Structures are given as C-alpha cells and as structure tokens.
C-alpha cells in the first residue's frame, strides 16, 4: 500500500466522526457515541468506504494510550489514594459477578458441566471475557460532562484500572487451569513487580520532570518528554510485565499528575487526541464490527451475553458501592460507568481462540457487547448525572467542539 | 507486530530527536539538523535501536503533509501571486541546470554517450534525480527563524512547489523517451487539470470554511475539517493526478490561508507537528540511511553527485534570482534554500530502478545528497540571514522548544 492511501481513510474518518459527533450532541448524547456509529456506518458493515487496517489499528492504539495518559494526568492523586481501597473492592466484585454470570449463561445454553470438564473451562472463559471493563469510553464521557475529577469519576477510573489487572490475572488463571504451562502465580508476581517498578521509576521520573518544569516551564520539551514517557511506560508494561499498555499509560499520567505543568501537558495531549487520534480510535471500534455468519442460536446467545455482561457489572459494582456508603444514585453511576467493554475483551477473546477455549463465532457477541455498552453507557451516565443537577446543560467544562 | 511494539520506537525517536534538536540549537544550528542526526544515530547506521518500518514511514508521510499544509496556511496569498511569475522562472532554471549537470557528471565518469543511446538515458536520469527540491527542511528552518512569510521565503516555497511539478513532468518525459508507453503530454495535461480542479474546488471549500468560521469561530470542528481537507487534497493529488501528496497539502493550505481563523488552524496543526509527526518525519530521514556495499568508484561518484547537485541548484536558482532583481545576498539565500533534496529524489530513484534506468547502488549517493543537503542548507541559511541583521538572535518567532 502506498503511504498516501491512508490519507483517504483518515480524511473520511475525521469528517464522519466529527459530523456524527455533532449530530449525537444535538440529540443530547455524548459525541463518542456518534464517533463509534460513524465508524460503523463508513465501515464494512454498512457503506464499506473504510476497511480496518494494521495502520489504523496502530493509530487507534496510540489514541487509546493518549486518552488514558490524559486521564492519569488529570487525576487528583489525593482523591485516588482516598478512593483506592474502595475502588479495589468495587473492582473485585465487578470481576467476580460477571465471571460467574457468564459461566452460568454458557451452561444454560449448552448444559451443565462439572469442574475439570472441557466444557466447564469454556463456560468459565465466557465469564472471563466479561470481566475487564474498558474505561476509555466512560472517561471520554465523564470528561465531556466535566465530571472526571469528582469522587465518582475517580472511583470509576481507579476501579477500572484495578479491574483490568484482576481481569488479566483471571485470564491467565483460567488458561492455566486448562494448560499447566502458564503459571497464575507468576502473573500475580509480575503484576506486583510492575507496580513496584512503576512506583520507584515513577518517583525518579517525577523528580526529573519537576526539575525540567522548574528550569523550563511551559516548553515544548516538557510535553514531548511527557509523551515519550507515556509511550515508554505503555511499552514496558506490555512487553516486560504482560500488563495492558493502557494501564502503563495511565500510571505514567498518575506519575506526572502532581507536576506543576501537568495541565499544560494534558492540554497538548488533548489537542492531539481530539484532532486526530481520538476519532481514529472511537471510529475504529465501529469499523471492526461485521455482521457476517450469524445464526439463530448465536443471536439468542448474543442477546443473553450482552444482557448478562451489562447487568452483572451493574449489580456487582453497584451493590458493593452502596455497601461502601455511596448513595443509590452514585452507586448506580459507578455500576453503569463500569459496564463498558472494549479492546481488552477482544484481546481476551483472541487469546481464548488461540488456546482453544473459544470458537470464532463468539466474536460476534463480544463485538456486540462492546458496541452496545459503548452506546448505552454514555446515555445512561448522562441521564444519571442530569438527575443530580437538572439545570446543568451539556459539556460545561470543555470548549465547543 | 503487536501494536504496542511501535510505542518503544516512538518513545526513542521523540526523546532522541528533541535532545539532539536542543544540542543543535546550542551549537547555533537549526533543530531540524539535530533531529535528522538523531535518526541517523538511533537508526541502523549507528546504534540500530530503531528500524525503519511501514508504520513509521506512513507517520512520517503524515508529518511532511502536515508541514506543507502549515506552510500553505501561513502563506501570504497576495505575496504569492506577486512572486508567482518570478518563482516559475527560478523553478525552471533550478530544474534545467542540475538536469544538464547531472547528465554531464555521469558521462564524465562513464564516457560520453550520444542522444538515443541507452547510456544517454541513464545519464539523463542521474540529472533527473537532482531536479526536485524538497522544501520541507527549508520551510522548517525558515519557520524557526521567523522568515517564512517574507519575500524570499515565499519565493523559495512557491518555486519549490512549482519545481516539484516540473520535476515530475521531466521524470515522466525522460522515462517516456526510453519507454513509449507513458505520455509526457498526458502528464502536463493532468497537472494543469489538477490545478484547475484545485482552483474551482478550492474556491467552493474556501466559501464553506468562511461560512463555518463565521458560525463557529475558534472551534474544534474548524481544525478537524481543515485537517481532513488537507489529507483529502494530498490523496486526490497523488491518486488521480499523479502529483506529489505534499503539493496537494500545500495547495489545501493556500486555499485556507485567507480564512480568518487560518492562524488558529495552523496553531493546532503545529502542536501535532512539533509534538509527534515532525520528529518522526525528520528523524525518519536519518533512519533510512545505511552505508552498506560502498566501493571506491561509488565514493568518488557520490562526492561528485552531491557537489554537482548542490552547486547546480545554487547557480541555477541564484543567478536567475539575481536577474529578477533580488540583491546578491537574497539570490544566494534562494539558491541555498532550493538546494535541499528529500523524499521526491528517493521516489524518482525508485521509479528509475523499476524501469531499468538506474541500478540499486546509486541509492547511496541519493541518500547522501538528502542527508548532506539537509544538514548544510539550514546552516548556510542561518549564516546568510545573520548577515542581514547581525543583532538578531535565534528563533524569535517561535516559542522556546
């Protein structure tokens, strides 16, 4: 492929995503929904103008990493430490309930299977796909509403990060149950090690950035170094610790969130995000969707899969939030905010395919879950937040798009 | 390759390019030089930390397109129309002199060949490689010095754009001489057609943007639409008219340069450029360089090739500028500014290879020419501009990097 061929795809994605984003906002929905639908419309499912390619996938990956870095940068560290233990509890329940729910759903469709049976692992794997929350859509949505920094926002983001890690541990554990080669203990150790390294290395980098910041505040080198740090952490997390790159990028953001110029860096990242990488990522979700080889059982299973995945997350996270003294409305917000699934669910499915715990047709329900949760969550969140302050209009904290 | 693998390369490129850029500035050289050298150092020639990949090449292509779009956006249209005829003359001489010089150089090394001989076409092709100026490095360098908008700056950019077009016509003509399939006349027609379409379509888009600008000044949709327009024009130029994508992007910038918010759009593009795409492009030039299979004749030929290419451009463009009533110093600036060669020279070489007019070893002199002209031009330009105003320090128009 010639390099210039990508310009066409990018131009179509940018225009379609922005137009549908504006339409979505007119309908009082978050712009992200419009961007995902734009991808669906221009993608193979409807018009077929743009095909998913390795290049677009890599750009989308940069997009989601930038998004998580921004989320980290905008974190109120004191608030995170305060919400940490609660977030951990919420994440645990948010993993456990869908894991059990998914396994029961599979057994309801294909018959009960005892522990140790091949079918039992398959059932457990369906649950595993449901565990990992993808917080990017929720983050974008809270950002648009200016609610990312609040107590609920911080709790959701922290819980989603922790839940990612637990989700990966569960994945390795389930695969390890069937295949004695991979070692669940080693995964736990490497995860702990990553956070240890991130803590120590992060402190050094924090001092480095504070020094840079004092010498040259508001300079380009600051935002370039920040971006490089974010990309480096994303890479190290995946490559050496087997942890999602977005977790690495989020941690990089947390490390820099107390630097005095953190909002300056965040602002530069945001320009890159909304102008280019964001639309490519969100439209990319729609782009990946295809509705080929679908049959009746699969449709019923898919409906069940989506419902169980959404409801289990709301129940698991919502109830434990209520137990942790959030009021009912805030508990519901947390449950709904954790509902979204994204690329991690796809990565887990891919893994299941390669180890023989999942067959290819189950990709359809997973993609449906990603799509539906991405569309439904922002709408519900908006409704729930509107209940708090009926006078407040759309996106007060963000300049007009 | 996993998507996260690119993060490592990008992080290394960003850090190395920025650090070497700052070192270059400390040595009173333009930052671009440092960025190219950074690519050379981290690339296969020295450390081998980063390999050129399709993904990086595509990002670099977006980078150079963004750069040309910015250059177009910052154009003073009245100045361009005023400099147009002069720029055309300069471009013609800047193509003709190196074309003849390159052919004579080849004959000096490998013996005289009469018109119609196989060797004659090969000699002519060596000249053809020398014709197309790559203005991106000069643009970046003039930008850093705050001299892009001046009469000399505008003349250089316009001449380089025109010279690109003439270079492509010459290429097709030379190939056409050997191979009767391609039709030089058709190339001239399609080039004229492109500018006609760009003129008519550009006027419509200009009106569209003026309308957008009046309704929603300083909004994200404006810069997103601008970026999409730039990418679209780059694509259309290459795909349907066989004209370099950077020419399309530059024309897109020209179309929008009279919109009231053009500097707002340019500012957003600049953030993307300096933060991400610019370093990837400039470091990419160094990254491509490799010094394998080099022998004595090739070294001598390469030295001759580089000298002839640089000197012929300075003589061709400089003398005709003097004839057009620029003073000697400004004429020299124009000649030197037109000296840089870039990706177009590589594309032409690639084409020569595929039609059998060039063998692969001649890539080494071409890469050397790109590298040396990229390093020498900014230094000379800085010296020439310093003569004008001995009191003026470095980069007055650009915020601290």
């Amino acid at each position: 492929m010639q390099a210039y061929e990508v310009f066409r795809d990018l131009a179509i994605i940018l225009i379609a995503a922005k137009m549908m984003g504006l339409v979505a906002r007119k309908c009082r929905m978050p712009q992200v929904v419009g961007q995902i639908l734009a991808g669906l419309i221009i993608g193979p499912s409807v018009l077929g103008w743009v095909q998913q390619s390795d290049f677009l996938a890599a750009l989308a990956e940069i997009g989601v990493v930038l998004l998580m870095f921004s989320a980290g940068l905008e974190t109120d560290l004191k608030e995170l430490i305060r919400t940490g233990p609660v977030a951990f509890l919420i994440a645990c329940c948010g993993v456990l309930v869908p894991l059990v729910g998914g396994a029961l759903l599979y057994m309801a469709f294909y018959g009960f299977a005892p522990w140790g049976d091949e079918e039992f692992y398959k059932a457990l794997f369906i649950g595993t796909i449901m565990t990992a929350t993808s917080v990017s859509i929720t983050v974008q949505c809270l950002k648009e509403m200016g609610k990312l920094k609040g107590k609920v926002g911080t709790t959701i983001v922290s819980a989603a990060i922790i839940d990612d890690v637990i989700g990966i541990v569960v994945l390795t554990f389930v695969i390890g149950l069937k295949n004695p080669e991979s070692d669940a203990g080693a995964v736990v150790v490497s995860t702990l090690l990553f956070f240890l390294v991130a803590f120590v290395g992060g402190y050094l980098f924090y001092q480095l950035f504070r020094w840079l910041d004092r010498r040259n505040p508001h300079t380009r080198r600051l935002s370039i170094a920040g971006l490089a740090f974010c990309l480096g952490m994303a890479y190290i997390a995946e490559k050496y610790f087997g942890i999602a790159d977005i977790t690495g990028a989020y941690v990089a953001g947390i490390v820099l969130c107390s630097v005095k110029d953190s909002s300056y860096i965040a602002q530069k990242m945001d320009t890159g995000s909304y102008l280019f990488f964001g639309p490519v990522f969100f439209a990319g979700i729609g782009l990946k969707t295809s509705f080929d080889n679908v049959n009746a059982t699969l449709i019923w299973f898919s409906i069940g899969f989506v419902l169980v995945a959404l409801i289990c997350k709301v129940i698991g996270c919502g109830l434990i939030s209520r137990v942790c003294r959030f009021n009912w409305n805030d508990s519901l917000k947390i449950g709904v905010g954790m509902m979204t699934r994204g690329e991690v669910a796809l990565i887990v499915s891919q893994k299941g395919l390669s180890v023989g715990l999942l067959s290819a047709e189950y990709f359809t329900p997973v993609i449906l879950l990603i799509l539906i949760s991405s569309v439904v969550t922002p709408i519900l969140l908006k409704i729930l937040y509107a209940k708090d302050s009926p006078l407040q209009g759309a996106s007060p904290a963000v300049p007009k798009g």
Side-chain angles (χ1 to χ4, degrees), chain A:
Chain A
M1 194 175 73
Q2 291 289 320
Y4 67 86
E5 296 276 355
V6 301
F7 298 158
R8 177 185 156 277
D9 294 355
L10 290 175
I12 293 174
I13 288 173
L14 290 178
I15 289 290
K18 189 71 219 177
M19 279 173 64
M20 288 298 292
L22 291 174
V23 169
R25 214 178 51 183
K26 274 260 183 249
C27 307
R28 308 206 148 263
M29 290 197 295
Q31 295 209 33
V32 203
V33 177
Q35 297 191 351
I36 295 171
L37 289 177
L40 197 68
I41 293 170
I42 60 176
S45 318
V46 185
L47 295 174
W49 287 352
V50 177
Q51 307 291 326
Q52 179 70 9
S53 69
D54 284 354
F55 181 72
L56 289 180
L59 283 187
E61 198 67 21
I62 296 176
V64 65
V65 159
L66 271 186
L67 202 64
M68 293 311 292
F69 181 50
S70 288
L73 276 175
E74 287 170 20
T75 304
D76 187 332
L77 197 59
K78 285 185 196 135
E79 188 74 27
L80 178 66
I81 291 168
R82 226 160 46 76
T83 53
V86 171
F88 184 76
L89 266 181
I90 294 173
C92 285
C93 290
V95 165
L96 200 67
V97 178
L99 182 67
V100 174
L104 291 179
L105 173 79
Y106 187 87
M107 291 185 187
F109 266 77
Y110 301 101
F112 174 76
W115 178 283
D117 194 89
E118 178 81 15
E119 283 295 299
F120 176 80
Y121 297 132
K122 286 192 180 172
L124 208 56
F125 200 83
I126 292 291
T128 308
I129 298 173
M130 293 182 179
T131 58
T133 289
S134 166
V135 81
S136 48
I137 288 146
T138 301
V139 163
Q140 182 63 22
C141 171
L142 291 173
K143 223 173 175 177
E144 278 187 49
M145 295 190 295
K147 303 288 187 193
L148 190 56
K149 280 189 163 185
K151 194 181 168 196
V152 170
T154 313
T155 306
I156 291 175
V157 176
S158 330
I161 293 296
I162 298 168
D163 136 318
D164 233 31
V165 175
I166 300 176
I168 290 160
V169 174
V170 169
L171 169 69
T172 325
F173 195 75
V174 170
I175 292 177
L177 280 179
K178 200 207 160 201
N179 169 17
E181 261 177 54
S182 71
D183 178 358
V187 178
V188 177
V189 170
S190 82
T191 304
L192 290 176
L193 214 62
F194 169 73
F195 280 99
L196 188 73
V197 168
F199 192 79
V200 176
Y203 183 75
L204 295 176
F205 272 92
Y206 171 69
Q207 293 299 345
L208 177 72
F209 272 86
R210 268 188 46 163
W211 172 78
L212 265 178
D213 200 1
R214 264 200 307 272
R215 278 195 51 178
N216 315 88
H218 280 63
T219 50
R220 291 178 173 186
R221 71 193 71 171
L222 209 62
S223 32
I224 292 174
L227 179 57
F229 180 57
C230 146
L231 292 170
M233 286 288 284
Y235 174 73
I236 288 169
E238 280 257 14
K239 177 80 179 179
Y240 299 107
F241 299 92
I243 289 172
D245 49 4
I246 49 175
T247 305
Y250 180 69
V251 170
I254 302 261
V255 167
L256 300 186
C257 74
S258 314
V259 173
K260 224 169 67 193
D261 254 352
S262 69
S263 63
Y264 174 80
I265 301 177
Q267 185 199 323
K268 296 297 168 194
M269 297 303 136
D270 275 358
T271 303
S273 258
Y274 79 74
L275 197 60
F276 189 78
F277 291 107
V280 172
F281 171 64
F282 290 112
I285 295 175
L287 224 51
K288 263 179 272 185
T289 315
S290 132
F291 298 115
D292 296 347
N293 40 4
V294 171
N295 62 50
T297 323
L298 195 64
I299 290 176
W300 284 113
F301 182 81
S302 300
I303 294 173
F305 182 85
V306 171
L307 287 177
V308 168
L310 299 184
I311 293 168
C312 284
K313 210 61 162 180
V314 176
I315 291 176
C317 297
L319 280 186
I320 193 79
S321 304
R322 187 69 190 92
V323 171
C324 295
R325 307 220 196 127
F326 283 90
N327 66 36
W328 275 113
N329 194 23
D330 283 353
S331 302
L332 205 54
K333 278 180 207 158
I334 293 174
V336 168
M338 299 286 288
M339 252 172 32
T340 43
R341 308 302 205 287
E343 57 298 336
V344 181
L346 279 175
I347 293 167
V348 171
S349 311
Q350 188 65 49
K351 192 88 192 165
L353 194 69
S354 71
V355 299
L357 279 170
L358 193 79
S359 38
E361 71 246 37
Y362 291 103
F363 269 73
T364 309
V366 175
I367 290 169
L368 268 180
L369 170 60
I370 294 173
L371 201 71
I372 292 174
S373 68
S374 308
V375 174
V376 170
T377 304
I379 298 172
L380 289 182
L381 273 182
K382 200 148 188 184
I383 294 171
L384 289 171
Y385 271 104
K387 277 192 182 169
D388 287 340
S389 48
L391 284 174
Q392 218 164 2
S395 19
V398 167
K400 216 175 170 190

